[in-house]
Amino acid sequence: HRVMGAESYLLIHEPSTIAFGKAVDIEDTQAMLDRICTQTTKIFVERSGGRITAAEFKKKWKRTDWWVTAEEALRYGFCDEVS
């Protein structure tokens, strides 16, 4: 059960990291970031119960910080209650 305060925000953003090393090391890091993005999208889409598609979710968080109000989070199904 997820509760958000009425005046709070949920920040959804792509994962970030610092990569260094040989090209293969950086490719491995990118592959892991891709897996994290896929899993994060799946979690939010499933949590929404169909109120947002994977394509819509990706569009909203790709290359930007997505600030979601408590009421928006409730509408999307990202939280269960606003208090």
Side-chain angles (χ1 to χ4, degrees):
H1 189 79
R2 293 169 180 87
V3 179
M4 289 181 67
E7 301 302 322
S8 64
Y9 287 86
L10 172 64
L11 170 58
I12 304 172
H13 59 85
E14 292 181 296
S16 62
T17 190
I18 296 173
F20 61 92
K22 299 175 288 193
V24 70
D25 298 325
I26 295 170
E27 290 170 1
D28 290 347
T29 300
Q30 180 61 52
M32 188 62 203
L33 287 173
D34 291 343
R35 289 180 64 193
I36 292 169
C37 286
T38 298
Q39 184 65 22
T40 302
T41 300
K42 180 182 173 192
I43 290 167
F44 276 96
V45 169
E46 286 178 0
R47 181 73 184 155
S48 79
R51 289 172 263 190
I52 191 167
T53 66
E56 291 168 327
F57 181 84
K58 288 176 185 177
K59 183 178 179 183
K60 289 184 176 292
W61 86 318
K62 194 74 173 170
R63 297 185 173 262
T64 187
D65 290 340
W66 180 23
W67 290 94
V68 182
T69 66
E71 289 299 325
E72 290 170 327
L74 187 63
R75 279 196 310 273
Y76 282 117
F78 299 157
C79 72
D80 302 300
E81 178 185 342
V82 174
S83 64

